[in-house]
Amino acid sequence: MRVLVIHGPNLNLLGERQPEIYGSQSLAEIDSALAREGRELGLEVRCVQHNGEGHIIDALHAARGEYDAIVLNPGAYAHYSHAIADAVASIGIPVVEVHLSNIASREPHRRVSVTAAACAGSISGFGLSSYLMALRAVREIHGK
Amino acid sequence: MRVLVIHGPNLNLLGERQPEIYGSQSLAEIDSALAREGRELGLEVRCVQHNGEGHIIDALHAARGEYDAIVLNPGAYAHYSHAIADAVASIGIPVVEVHLSNIASREPHRRVSVTAAACAGSISGFGLSSYLMALRAVREIHGK
Amino acid sequence: MRVLVIHGPNLNLLGERQPEIYGSQSLAEIDSALAREGRELGLEVRCVQHNGEGHIIDALHAARGEYDAIVLNPGAYAHYSHAIADAVASIGIPVVEVHLSNIASREPHRRVSVTAAACAGSISGFGLSSYLMALRAVREIHGK
Amino acid sequence: MRVLVIHGPNLNLLGERQPEIYGSQSLAEIDSALAREGRELGLEVRCVQHNGEGHIIDALHAARGEYDAIVLNPGAYAHYSHAIADAVASIGIPVVEVHLSNIASREPHRRVSVTAAACAGSISGFGLSSYLMALRAVREIHGK
Amino acid sequence: MRVLVIHGPNLNLLGERQPEIYGSQSLAEIDSALAREGRELGLEVRCVQHNGEGHIIDALHAARGEYDAIVLNPGAYAHYSHAIADAVASIGIPVVEVHLSNIASREPHRRVSVTAAACAGSISGFGLSSYLMALRAVREIHGK
Amino acid sequence: MRVLVIHGPNLNLLGERQPEIYGSQSLAEIDSALAREGRELGLEVRCVQHNGEGHIIDALHAARGEYDAIVLNPGAYAHYSHAIADAVASIGIPVVEVHLSNIASREPHRRVSVTAAACAGSISGFGLSSYLMALRAVREIHGK
Amino acid sequence: MRVLVIHGPNLNLLGERQPEIYGSQSLAEIDSALAREGRELGLEVRCVQHNGEGHIIDALHAARGEYDAIVLNPGAYAHYSHAIADAVASIGIPVVEVHLSNIASREPHRRVSVTAAACAGSISGFGLSSYLMALRAVREIHGK
Amino acid sequence: MRVLVIHGPNLNLLGERQPEIYGSQSLAEIDSALAREGRELGLEVRCVQHNGEGHIIDALHAARGEYDAIVLNPGAYAHYSHAIADAVASIGIPVVEVHLSNIASREPHRRVSVTAAACAGSISGFGLSSYLMALRAVREIHGK
Amino acid sequence: MRVLVIHGPNLNLLGERQPEIYGSQSLAEIDSALAREGRELGLEVRCVQHNGEGHIIDALHAARGEYDAIVLNPGAYAHYSHAIADAVASIGIPVVEVHLSNIASREPHRRVSVTAAACAGSISGFGLSSYLMALRAVREIHGK
Amino acid sequence: MRVLVIHGPNLNLLGERQPEIYGSQSLAEIDSALAREGRELGLEVRCVQHNGEGHIIDALHAARGEYDAIVLNPGAYAHYSHAIADAVASIGIPVVEVHLSNIASREPHRRVSVTAAACAGSISGFGLSSYLMALRAVREIHGK
Amino acid sequence: MRVLVIHGPNLNLLGERQPEIYGSQSLAEIDSALAREGRELGLEVRCVQHNGEGHIIDALHAARGEYDAIVLNPGAYAHYSHAIADAVASIGIPVVEVHLSNIASREPHRRVSVTAAACAGSISGFGLSSYLMALRAVREIHGK
Amino acid sequence: MRVLVIHGPNLNLLGERQPEIYGSQSLAEIDSALAREGRELGLEVRCVQHNGEGHIIDALHAARGEYDAIVLNPGAYAHYSHAIADAVASIGIPVVEVHLSNIASREPHRRVSVTAAACAGSISGFGLSSYLMALRAVREIHGK
């Protein structure tokens, strides 16, 4: 089973950016942990990061035929990108949304996710573990 | 490590209630699966179910000194019970919110969770797996 | 045919509470009138009253297998209890909502009923007659 | 006792229009049922149908001195016609609002009725029975 | 100078309808007073009353070439009839809006007049005097 | 194939009314152009104009069995007439909404069309061409 | 009968300030016209102008025992000064609100007048005539 | 004079729960202080605490005939429990609402109290003193 | 300990203004009662009244170094004067907001106090007692 | 006359993506049909597709001097991209907005198009025909 | 060239008031810096401070004929004083709005400036430099 | 000190695009003026322009370690790009927002800047001078 992990805008700065919110791990460390967990779960995991809304849509499209599931951290796009939501709804691959921080307890504009509405489910607030749990979740969904 | 699982209103009807949304497993089956997963993870898991807002608050309070973490499915209370949110904020025990269905893709009144704002994080949309992942999450949080 | 009538919060004070809005009949008198009308219509009618949101949900659940229809006056819960609305949607028994007063002509917060959205229909503004008509309505629905 | 039944816009298409929402009875069949029920209840019932907001206001005005009560199905005007609401408030005859479908469970714009606020009460969701119950209701109100 | 006075919905019931709000004069008495005041001011005054939105639009259109100014009491249509507002904007004749009651101090839905936005000005709160002042106002506007 | 064109409120004033917004053609000229285009497309075109909401609903109803498609310019009713929207949804004939001006670039109250939601599609901003394109559109829809 | 005219903020600039909205007459010219009209109507008229919200409240208070009626042009305070509204409600003297321009057809923030809600009535859109009509209005109210 | 003090949800955790907001006194200490102050003021004071909305309604009802006044700290229910507000309005006993913290300066959802609207008055922001002042207040009200 | 009492707009009319809301005591009587209560509590109390928003800000500023606490009745400014709120936040002296009436049960615009958000606490609904309680409150705060 | 057709986000998936909404034609088929129709109308048509908001803006800019008109399907960007709207307003070339589906009858967030406000007009709901009509529309506009 | 600097409410407390937001310089120090910068730029600078809304309006009016440009820090009035906005629009002198703090990053009520809409431009967030840049800006504007 | 100037969407069209709003200078001319001003102030200034949201985020990220401050004109992205706001908050370099036009006096959707909330300050309304002042501002901030 092949899984694509898409990190959205600003996640390339992880570890340096507001560590009190996003933790002190770098994106490379997260990607290593994802690869490791993937191997344990028997998943082929590939990770990409994009700051552009269009590039994230491109990546979602390109996943068709290449991947069996997607883990998506849309970052701030979660709250207004109906175009990404449409892409998720279009590709016919299960997508799980993750957030490092607990978006329900932050600023009002982060309380609703328009992209999550097109996903299979979402996990937020557990830092790296949000991602690791998402790997288990996509395996579960795939098994059904 | 002891974990209390609180199932909120209407979850006692699981399996019979709108199975196209909530799945066909009964609450007893979910509780068995939670016990099994708990044993594997080295957690002592106990499950309760309450329809009343006040009883959920009582259960949260009573957990102090008895449990190390809580998994809470507040059901519809998620969307308006500031009293439960206050209880979560008051007890000093990490709480993880779970939902069987993906609340972001349902009716507008289910898109914001006021209780999640007081929790450590939330997981929604994976049926039974939402709960199982929450057990892993609380173990992770506890380990920190 | 067995019918359960559930009176919601504050209805136990009927006759004493703001009679200019709710009329001067006591709840006991309403229950007698419901029993009488039930006998005439060939219905077995039982009445309960609860102030707690959770108790109303419990009563709705317990009605499964015991009653063929429910007449529900949710009182002020009509305007915010999504948990009661979920209970009504879960039990697979037709529920008719009633209000003694005409909620459309009162304060703004009473103009929308979130529980009525899960019911078969609603009747408001006719005092005791709201309930009596509801008995006829559930018989009609049952006959279909 | 004389009762005027006013059917609002689009009700002349009943039976042909969206039967999954409005039922398969024609307006003529409803009017016959109303006449029959009227005779049983000792009421003189006359039915009219108008698509125009102004014609409904005219009919409400003309009822003064001619009818003792009115049963009004304002159709979609229920949700924005403050002019019909003013007419109801002006004529000094009790008016009962009816809807065939349960407007509380349909699109958001149907959830509030501005005309019901000027009526004695309202009944919705029981198809033909909504009207039949309204006949009983106006007789009750008249008797007070 | 010829002036058309258009009375909107429900104004034919004046004197009988809620006299504590609208006063005890009948529409005929108001029309007499308008004729009298017109003669004093050297104005030819004609009065019509319509309950229908379309009829009011028809009357506004028909006034072109026949009248030099219009006094319009749109009643409740003031608050939602963009079609009447468009008609006022289309005909190229000055229109003055009047209301018997002080709409700013009544229910929220009466606080904004969408038709007044297309008029030359508006007068509200002075009963019959609202109309009499409007006659003076249109004479003034015409003189410019 | 027979097509009914319904012009809504104030369109009878075309050519005279705010020509900077609506153009300088009269309604008669538009109707001639529609007849001409109809002949070229093999359509039998008939045009009517109504200022009243009820008359537009009547015209929509009367089209059943007489016309195969309808082109509707609801004018300002587009923005609040749920009764016309219900009529469109009721008659089982495809309806195409047209506007002479580009309503998306005008006042805020013109940005949402509640009637378009019940139509097959809508065309706005091209003056007479909005209508001519609608004729082609209904022929296309009919051919399917 | 003594009448106080209170001109609110920025009205001292009349004639110079945006004459396309407010006309080209100076405040002194308006005051002369008010005095003249007052003499004709048998009213003793005095005019004051204040830019400060507190000074307008002081003037309203000081009018008690000194004046029988007040004509108030609150300027922009109309749209947010609940304190002036309270002053009007407190003094037991009838107050008529005037505006030179037709506030209903200007920017959204000018569409609701919170001070008008406390006045006996309001007149807007007639330039100087708004004031002159107000003098007649207060005489009328006084005569009752 | 007998006074009932009702402490709402989560107040049993006082002293342990967020002391920077709610102070470090336990509920028992507050109840002792209330008893002491009661004795000085010649009041018989009894204190209860409930987490459930229904239990608070029950307690308000049961106070009829037993107490002359009520001091109510509804906690978070203040912001959405129309059912408690209805109970306060139903029982015919003066109720004074208290809050330990100054709810006007906290999160937006705490700024409006729907229960206070049914009370005689409210006091918030003074910790224990909020309660002590409320005892004086009910005595004052009672004396009238 | 020196306490400044600032009475806001319209409070100079107390006793004469809407006594059913504000009571029948004059401001002078309130000031005497405050002086008396102050002597009992060992406080030096001085009272001022201002109708102007700027004068209230001036008074708040001037209190620095002269007074130890302030009791402020901002009247209607409570609901929109962010400038007074800023002044309260700037001066470093504890301020207690008081209202004679229960603002929570009055018009919607009185339900939120933007100035209270900057105060230590607020008391409303007890007439003169609101002020007397505030004197106790400031003494309490000062003692901490 | 040269025309640029810009397809926005996710349109590259046409035919595969939710065919019940968007039809079963591929984008290549649509582009062929556009080329064919262009040849018939004497237009040089070129088609591009972009998922990125910035790329659409780039394409709009690059069209200056190269194309005489633009047909734009902004997809979901229609509902929030003020940057694309600004680009349309900046380039001085007529732009016609098209949508395959009838956006007025879909989810609430699709009801307002902020980009259409900057276009000459818009066409939605006719599948491929929306595009074909747009070609005729731009030829018409160009001819003026 | 003569420039008037108007400091609004609470700015007289600068240096003492919330220095973490507004900096530690006193208003006198700011005025000195403005004089110094003015001399360098060849501007005659005079500074005034007012807490009252009316006094600021008076100062704006009085500037006509005396000053060539105005630098205005309206403080909290920026967010609701339509009267000051009207004054700025009335006087025919360019006004530049300044704020010491970055109002866009503070509380929601500070995010929109109604007075800035009437100014030539605005500068916020740079402490003293906001003012110094404004001096350069008015010289620039004047030179045009 | 090195400063990066980022011009957002559509700014490459400066001089040609709506010159009545944005002025007649080209972006190249602005960049020359910025270089010149930079030299005078001792700043190394580099300018880039991007239409894509993702490219602006990339540019902000890449500035880390390369520049000491950033001047950002986000164009229309200012009003909805929470992703750019997050980027500004992430990079740890002071950013000053500039706008050529006075956004406070334009369409409602331009009144709030979500990106300014993450910046050190903002300057709008002075055309080229907005940028020049921003250079001075960043030098000032850097010096602190």
PDB file of all heavy atoms in Angstrom, chain C residues 61-81:
ATOM      1  N   HIS C  61     -35.154   6.959  24.552  1.00  0.00           N
ATOM      2  CA  HIS C  61     -34.523   5.663  24.281  1.00  0.00           C
ATOM      3  C   HIS C  61     -35.383   4.521  24.825  1.00  0.00           C
ATOM      4  O   HIS C  61     -35.596   3.505  24.156  1.00  0.00           O
ATOM      5  CB  HIS C  61     -33.149   5.580  24.931  1.00  0.00           C
ATOM      6  CG  HIS C  61     -32.127   6.461  24.307  1.00  0.00           C
ATOM      7  ND1 HIS C  61     -30.836   6.545  24.746  1.00  0.00           N
ATOM      8  CD2 HIS C  61     -32.200   7.312  23.260  1.00  0.00           C
ATOM      9  CE1 HIS C  61     -30.157   7.401  24.011  1.00  0.00           C
ATOM     10  NE2 HIS C  61     -30.974   7.883  23.109  1.00  0.00           N
ATOM     11  N   ALA C  62     -35.836   4.682  26.069  1.00  0.00           N
ATOM     12  CA  ALA C  62     -36.590   3.607  26.735  1.00  0.00           C
ATOM     13  C   ALA C  62     -37.895   3.316  26.013  1.00  0.00           C
ATOM     14  O   ALA C  62     -38.494   2.245  26.195  1.00  0.00           O
ATOM     15  CB  ALA C  62     -36.856   4.004  28.188  1.00  0.00           C
ATOM     16  N   ALA C  63     -38.372   4.262  25.219  1.00  0.00           N
ATOM     17  CA  ALA C  63     -39.650   4.075  24.527  1.00  0.00           C
ATOM     18  C   ALA C  63     -39.557   3.028  23.426  1.00  0.00           C
ATOM     19  O   ALA C  63     -40.578   2.482  22.998  1.00  0.00           O
ATOM     20  CB  ALA C  63     -40.099   5.418  23.938  1.00  0.00           C
ATOM     21  N   ARG C  64     -38.360   2.752  22.981  1.00  0.00           N
ATOM     22  CA  ARG C  64     -38.204   1.765  21.897  1.00  0.00           C
ATOM     23  C   ARG C  64     -38.730   0.397  22.343  1.00  0.00           C
ATOM     24  O   ARG C  64     -38.346  -0.105  23.390  1.00  0.00           O
ATOM     25  CB  ARG C  64     -36.735   1.667  21.483  1.00  0.00           C
ATOM     26  CG  ARG C  64     -36.246   2.984  20.862  1.00  0.00           C
ATOM     27  CD  ARG C  64     -34.822   2.869  20.374  1.00  0.00           C
ATOM     28  NE  ARG C  64     -34.040   2.166  21.360  1.00  0.00           N
ATOM     29  CZ  ARG C  64     -33.134   1.231  21.061  1.00  0.00           C
ATOM     30  NH1 ARG C  64     -32.878   0.940  19.807  1.00  0.00           N
ATOM     31  NH2 ARG C  64     -32.461   0.653  22.031  1.00  0.00           N
ATOM     32  N   GLY C  65     -39.625  -0.186  21.565  1.00  0.00           N
ATOM     33  CA  GLY C  65     -40.188  -1.486  21.912  1.00  0.00           C
ATOM     34  C   GLY C  65     -41.371  -1.383  22.859  1.00  0.00           C
ATOM     35  O   GLY C  65     -42.128  -2.330  23.025  1.00  0.00           O
ATOM     36  N   GLU C  66     -41.506  -0.214  23.516  1.00  0.00           N
ATOM     37  CA  GLU C  66     -42.593  -0.045  24.481  1.00  0.00           C
ATOM     38  C   GLU C  66     -43.731   0.810  23.918  1.00  0.00           C
ATOM     39  O   GLU C  66     -44.887   0.644  24.305  1.00  0.00           O
ATOM     40  CB  GLU C  66     -42.062   0.627  25.759  1.00  0.00           C
ATOM     41  CG  GLU C  66     -40.957  -0.149  26.463  1.00  0.00           C
ATOM     42  CD  GLU C  66     -41.460  -1.489  26.973  1.00  0.00           C
ATOM     43  OE1 GLU C  66     -42.603  -1.558  27.438  1.00  0.00           O
ATOM     44  OE2 GLU C  66     -40.690  -2.490  26.855  1.00  0.00           O
ATOM     45  N   TYR C  67     -43.389   1.740  23.057  1.00  0.00           N
ATOM     46  CA  TYR C  67     -44.408   2.670  22.549  1.00  0.00           C
ATOM     47  C   TYR C  67     -44.363   2.713  21.029  1.00  0.00           C
ATOM     48  O   TYR C  67     -43.321   2.457  20.417  1.00  0.00           O
ATOM     49  CB  TYR C  67     -44.200   4.076  23.111  1.00  0.00           C
ATOM     50  CG  TYR C  67     -44.439   4.112  24.592  1.00  0.00           C
ATOM     51  CD1 TYR C  67     -43.394   3.957  25.488  1.00  0.00           C
ATOM     52  CD2 TYR C  67     -45.730   4.279  25.093  1.00  0.00           C
ATOM     53  CE1 TYR C  67     -43.617   3.956  26.859  1.00  0.00           C
ATOM     54  CE2 TYR C  67     -45.966   4.287  26.471  1.00  0.00           C
ATOM     55  CZ  TYR C  67     -44.916   4.123  27.341  1.00  0.00           C
ATOM     56  OH  TYR C  67     -45.147   4.122  28.684  1.00  0.00           O
ATOM     57  N   ASP C  68     -45.508   3.086  20.443  1.00  0.00           N
ATOM     58  CA  ASP C  68     -45.612   3.155  18.983  1.00  0.00           C
ATOM     59  C   ASP C  68     -45.434   4.585  18.469  1.00  0.00           C
ATOM     60  O   ASP C  68     -45.226   4.793  17.270  1.00  0.00           O
ATOM     61  CB  ASP C  68     -46.969   2.625  18.530  1.00  0.00           C
ATOM     62  CG  ASP C  68     -47.185   1.194  19.003  1.00  0.00           C
ATOM     63  OD1 ASP C  68     -46.396   0.333  18.569  1.00  0.00           O
ATOM     64  OD2 ASP C  68     -48.091   0.962  19.834  1.00  0.00           O
ATOM     65  N   ALA C  69     -45.561   5.544  19.369  1.00  0.00           N
ATOM     66  CA  ALA C  69     -45.417   6.948  18.967  1.00  0.00           C
ATOM     67  C   ALA C  69     -45.166   7.789  20.197  1.00  0.00           C
ATOM     68  O   ALA C  69     -45.471   7.361  21.318  1.00  0.00           O
ATOM     69  CB  ALA C  69     -46.676   7.433  18.253  1.00  0.00           C
ATOM     70  N   ILE C  70     -44.605   8.975  19.982  1.00  0.00           N
ATOM     71  CA  ILE C  70     -44.276   9.864  21.108  1.00  0.00           C
ATOM     72  C   ILE C  70     -44.762  11.266  20.794  1.00  0.00           C
ATOM     73  O   ILE C  70     -44.649  11.742  19.662  1.00  0.00           O
ATOM     74  CB  ILE C  70     -42.745   9.879  21.361  1.00  0.00           C
ATOM     75  CG1 ILE C  70     -42.285   8.496  21.826  1.00  0.00           C
ATOM     76  CG2 ILE C  70     -42.358  10.946  22.370  1.00  0.00           C
ATOM     77  CD1 ILE C  70     -40.780   8.318  21.921  1.00  0.00           C
ATOM     78  N   VAL C  71     -45.352  11.892  21.826  1.00  0.00           N
ATOM     79  CA  VAL C  71     -45.692  13.317  21.763  1.00  0.00           C
ATOM     80  C   VAL C  71     -44.710  14.020  22.683  1.00  0.00           C
ATOM     81  O   VAL C  71     -44.633  13.681  23.860  1.00  0.00           O
ATOM     82  CB  VAL C  71     -47.146  13.554  22.220  1.00  0.00           C
ATOM     83  CG1 VAL C  71     -47.427  15.037  22.349  1.00  0.00           C
ATOM     84  CG2 VAL C  71     -48.115  12.883  21.249  1.00  0.00           C
ATOM     85  N   LEU C  72     -43.947  14.971  22.140  1.00  0.00           N
ATOM     86  CA  LEU C  72     -42.860  15.587  22.915  1.00  0.00           C
ATOM     87  C   LEU C  72     -43.040  17.100  22.994  1.00  0.00           C
ATOM     88  O   LEU C  72     -43.124  17.775  21.966  1.00  0.00           O
ATOM     89  CB  LEU C  72     -41.516  15.280  22.235  1.00  0.00           C
ATOM     90  CG  LEU C  72     -40.279  16.024  22.767  1.00  0.00           C
ATOM     91  CD1 LEU C  72     -39.954  15.593  24.188  1.00  0.00           C
ATOM     92  CD2 LEU C  72     -39.079  15.774  21.858  1.00  0.00           C
ATOM     93  N   ASN C  73     -43.105  17.626  24.212  1.00  0.00           N
ATOM     94  CA  ASN C  73     -43.037  19.075  24.404  1.00  0.00           C
ATOM     95  C   ASN C  73     -41.660  19.364  24.975  1.00  0.00           C
ATOM     96  O   ASN C  73     -41.448  19.251  26.184  1.00  0.00           O
ATOM     97  CB  ASN C  73     -44.131  19.548  25.365  1.00  0.00           C
ATOM     98  CG  ASN C  73     -44.070  21.059  25.536  1.00  0.00           C
ATOM     99  OD1 ASN C  73     -43.049  21.676  25.262  1.00  0.00           O
ATOM    100  ND2 ASN C  73     -45.158  21.659  26.000  1.00  0.00           N
ATOM    101  N   PRO C  74     -40.694  19.728  24.163  1.00  0.00           N
ATOM    102  CA  PRO C  74     -39.316  19.880  24.659  1.00  0.00           C
ATOM    103  C   PRO C  74     -39.085  21.183  25.419  1.00  0.00           C
ATOM    104  O   PRO C  74     -37.963  21.427  25.867  1.00  0.00           O
ATOM    105  CB  PRO C  74     -38.481  19.856  23.381  1.00  0.00           C
ATOM    106  CG  PRO C  74     -39.416  20.293  22.298  1.00  0.00           C
ATOM    107  CD  PRO C  74     -40.811  19.931  22.721  1.00  0.00           C
ATOM    108  N   GLY C  75     -40.124  22.027  25.564  1.00  0.00           N
ATOM    109  CA  GLY C  75     -39.926  23.311  26.249  1.00  0.00           C
ATOM    110  C   GLY C  75     -38.770  24.059  25.622  1.00  0.00           C
ATOM    111  O   GLY C  75     -38.549  23.988  24.407  1.00  0.00           O
ATOM    112  N   ALA C  76     -38.001  24.751  26.456  1.00  0.00           N
ATOM    113  CA  ALA C  76     -36.910  25.585  25.933  1.00  0.00           C
ATOM    114  C   ALA C  76     -35.813  24.770  25.268  1.00  0.00           C
ATOM    115  O   ALA C  76     -35.049  25.292  24.453  1.00  0.00           O
ATOM    116  CB  ALA C  76     -36.314  26.432  27.052  1.00  0.00           C
ATOM    117  N   TYR C  77     -35.716  23.462  25.572  1.00  0.00           N
ATOM    118  CA  TYR C  77     -34.693  22.642  24.907  1.00  0.00           C
ATOM    119  C   TYR C  77     -34.892  22.630  23.385  1.00  0.00           C
ATOM    120  O   TYR C  77     -33.937  22.375  22.640  1.00  0.00           O
ATOM    121  CB  TYR C  77     -34.720  21.198  25.426  1.00  0.00           C
ATOM    122  CG  TYR C  77     -34.186  21.041  26.828  1.00  0.00           C
ATOM    123  CD1 TYR C  77     -34.843  20.243  27.761  1.00  0.00           C
ATOM    124  CD2 TYR C  77     -33.007  21.669  27.233  1.00  0.00           C
ATOM    125  CE1 TYR C  77     -34.344  20.091  29.055  1.00  0.00           C
ATOM    126  CE2 TYR C  77     -32.518  21.522  28.527  1.00  0.00           C
ATOM    127  CZ  TYR C  77     -33.183  20.732  29.433  1.00  0.00           C
ATOM    128  OH  TYR C  77     -32.690  20.590  30.709  1.00  0.00           O
ATOM    129  N   ALA C  78     -36.137  22.875  22.954  1.00  0.00           N
ATOM    130  CA  ALA C  78     -36.419  22.906  21.514  1.00  0.00           C
ATOM    131  C   ALA C  78     -35.422  23.784  20.763  1.00  0.00           C
ATOM    132  O   ALA C  78     -35.101  23.529  19.603  1.00  0.00           O
ATOM    133  CB  ALA C  78     -37.834  23.427  21.261  1.00  0.00           C
ATOM    134  N   HIS C  79     -34.906  24.807  21.432  1.00  0.00           N
ATOM    135  CA  HIS C  79     -34.163  25.828  20.717  1.00  0.00           C
ATOM    136  C   HIS C  79     -32.648  25.609  20.708  1.00  0.00           C
ATOM    137  O   HIS C  79     -31.933  26.344  20.056  1.00  0.00           O
ATOM    138  CB  HIS C  79     -34.520  27.200  21.303  1.00  0.00           C
ATOM    139  CG  HIS C  79     -35.997  27.339  21.439  1.00  0.00           C
ATOM    140  ND1 HIS C  79     -36.853  27.229  20.372  1.00  0.00           N
ATOM    141  CD2 HIS C  79     -36.804  27.504  22.519  1.00  0.00           C
ATOM    142  CE1 HIS C  79     -38.112  27.337  20.788  1.00  0.00           C
ATOM    143  NE2 HIS C  79     -38.103  27.495  22.074  1.00  0.00           N
ATOM    144  N   TYR C  80     -32.157  24.631  21.501  1.00  0.00           N
ATOM    145  CA  TYR C  80     -30.705  24.403  21.452  1.00  0.00           C
ATOM    146  C   TYR C  80     -30.261  22.962  21.675  1.00  0.00           C
ATOM    147  O   TYR C  80     -29.084  22.665  21.495  1.00  0.00           O
ATOM    148  CB  TYR C  80     -29.979  25.343  22.440  1.00  0.00           C
ATOM    149  CG  TYR C  80     -30.370  25.194  23.905  1.00  0.00           C
ATOM    150  CD1 TYR C  80     -29.578  24.507  24.804  1.00  0.00           C
ATOM    151  CD2 TYR C  80     -31.545  25.770  24.391  1.00  0.00           C
ATOM    152  CE1 TYR C  80     -29.939  24.382  26.144  1.00  0.00           C
ATOM    153  CE2 TYR C  80     -31.906  25.652  25.723  1.00  0.00           C
ATOM    154  CZ  TYR C  80     -31.106  24.962  26.592  1.00  0.00           C
ATOM    155  OH  TYR C  80     -31.477  24.860  27.907  1.00  0.00           O
ATOM    156  N   SER C  81     -31.169  22.053  22.016  1.00  0.00           N
ATOM    157  CA  SER C  81     -30.689  20.708  22.355  1.00  0.00           C
ATOM    158  C   SER C  81     -30.530  19.827  21.118  1.00  0.00           C
ATOM    159  O   SER C  81     -31.416  19.048  20.760  1.00  0.00           O
ATOM    160  CB  SER C  81     -31.626  20.019  23.339  1.00  0.00           C
ATOM    161  OG  SER C  81     -31.122  18.699  23.576  1.00  0.00           O
TER     162      SER C  81
END
